[in-house]
Amino acid sequence: MKQFADRAFLALLLAVLLAVPLGVALWSHKETTAYYENRSLAEAPELTAESVWDGSFGTEAESWYSDHAPGRTTLLELDTWVQMKLMGRPVVNGIVTVGDVLLPELEFDEYSEEAYRYGAVPIAEDFGALSAYVESLGGTFCYVGFPEQRVYFEDQFPDYLNNHSREAATADAVFAEALAEQGVDFLNMREAYDQQGNPAEYYSAVDHHYRYWGTYAAYRAILDHLSEQGWDLPVLTEEDLEFQSLPYPYIGSRNRKLYNLWPNEEQAVIAVQKDPVAFTRWDNGAPSDKPLFVLPASEELPTTYNLYMGGDFGETILDTDRPELPNVLVFGDSFTNALETLLYASFNEMHSLDLRYYTEQSLKDYIAAYQPDIVLCVQNDTFYYTEGGNNTVWVD
């Protein structure tokens, strides 16, 4: 009897061990992205003699299995709920949850001012070379630098966590100084926002981006800055726009990491032009019918910051067919997305590049081919010192 029980147990265990990977193999094709993690899931590896021999098959199979295990999202959401609701942890999935806004967990250690000065020099030199090149073609270059959300809510960090307020201010000042030494025109949006009232209202409680009111304030600051340099551009005033709070649940980038479990009533905002400037759009070289605001199919479905222009693209072109106006090239991180919904209306053509994804040619070659009248770099301060991506601006 005991021998039969042992065999039955081993058979059951073997069935379970086989059923799980079999279930993954049969149903994993239905999902290709992890919505709350905002990333693509690992693809099933190709079984070849070479991949087995060099060990890559086993490594890739482990990643694939981990990404497609049955109930994975449910288990991760449950774990997040337990940490937030039962254990009351102040930091969950890298997000600080104890204040009135969601903030990123930051390391306790800080870089010195000397380290920032050392890191700023080569990046500033590249932007200096880019600025000089644009000017040699008769154009105007401007670097538009934004503070990230955490800067305006630094008082929301609990005392036992480092909010890096001193370091952030130092790093921003050093970067601006380095650009100035290279003759780069720098529009500091932190200073621009501080002059306009309460900049905290411009930023989201659940997302690292600015809210649409912050976007509009930035648009006006950029147009005013270009006007001071002699550019006569049409401007969308508040009277030209109808600001609308959307009814859809808004899942910001920080609450997304918490599986939208943090209580949130914030609504995303858009601004519809009362007399819309028509445009023809291309995304990554192909004609596109995407509107400025890509909304969910029903009010029950959630939306994210990707509603602005449909998210990040390597290249987007909006042509308004008004050749009497100058052309603009804007490149940078996702802070460009919401800005593009307004900026295009002030130009004949707006080309937008995200150099994290655009690989067809170098930025220098793109400018040489397109020869825009105005080139804008739009970055948030967490990317000032990073290598690659939208800092890859000068390739001979």
Side-chain angles (χ1 to χ4, degrees), residues 11-27 65 70:
L12 178 61
L13 179 61
L14 181 61
V16 171
L17 291 175
L18 292 175
V20 173
L22 181 61
V24 174
L26 291 175
W27 288 290
Y65 178 79

Side-chain angles (χ1 to χ4, degrees), residues 276-318:
V277 175
F279 61 86
T280 305
R281 176 171 177 168
W282 290 265
D283 290 325
N284 297 330
S288 173
D289 59 358
K290 282 187 173 63
L292 300 175
F293 308 105
V294 181
L295 306 179
S298 70
E299 293 187 4
E300 289 72 32
L301 295 176
T303 188
T304 68
Y305 181 81
N306 284 345
L307 77 93
Y308 303 112
M309 297 296 290
D312 297 333
F313 291 91
E315 179 192 39
T316 291
I317 301 173
L318 297 187

Side-chain angles (χ1 to χ4, degrees), residues 79-91:
D79 176 66
T80 301
W81 184 87
V82 169
Q83 292 188 61
M84 289 179 62
K85 306 299 183 180
L86 294 186
M87 300 176 65
R89 297 188 61 187
V91 179

Side-chain angles (χ1 to χ4, degrees), residues 90-161:
V91 179
V92 180
N93 299 345
I95 301 298
V96 180
T97 64
V98 294
D100 296 327
V101 301
L102 295 177
L103 296 164
E105 180 185 18
L106 303 174
E107 296 180 356
F108 282 93
D109 295 334
E110 297 184 3
Y111 288 104
S112 66
E113 180 177 341
E114 291 73 19
Y116 279 114
R117 291 192 181 280
Y118 178 81
V121 170
I123 296 175
E125 288 177 346
D126 283 350
F127 278 101
L130 175 65
S131 177
Y133 181 67
V134 172
E135 292 176 3
S136 73
L137 298 176
T140 296
F141 177 78
C142 179
Y143 191 118
V144 186
F146 285 88
E148 205 226 40
Q149 175 245 29
R150 78 200 188 288
V151 169
Y152 284 118
F153 298 112
E154 57 190 26
D155 61 333
Q156 292 284 333
F157 282 89
D159 293 339
Y160 49 83
L161 294 179

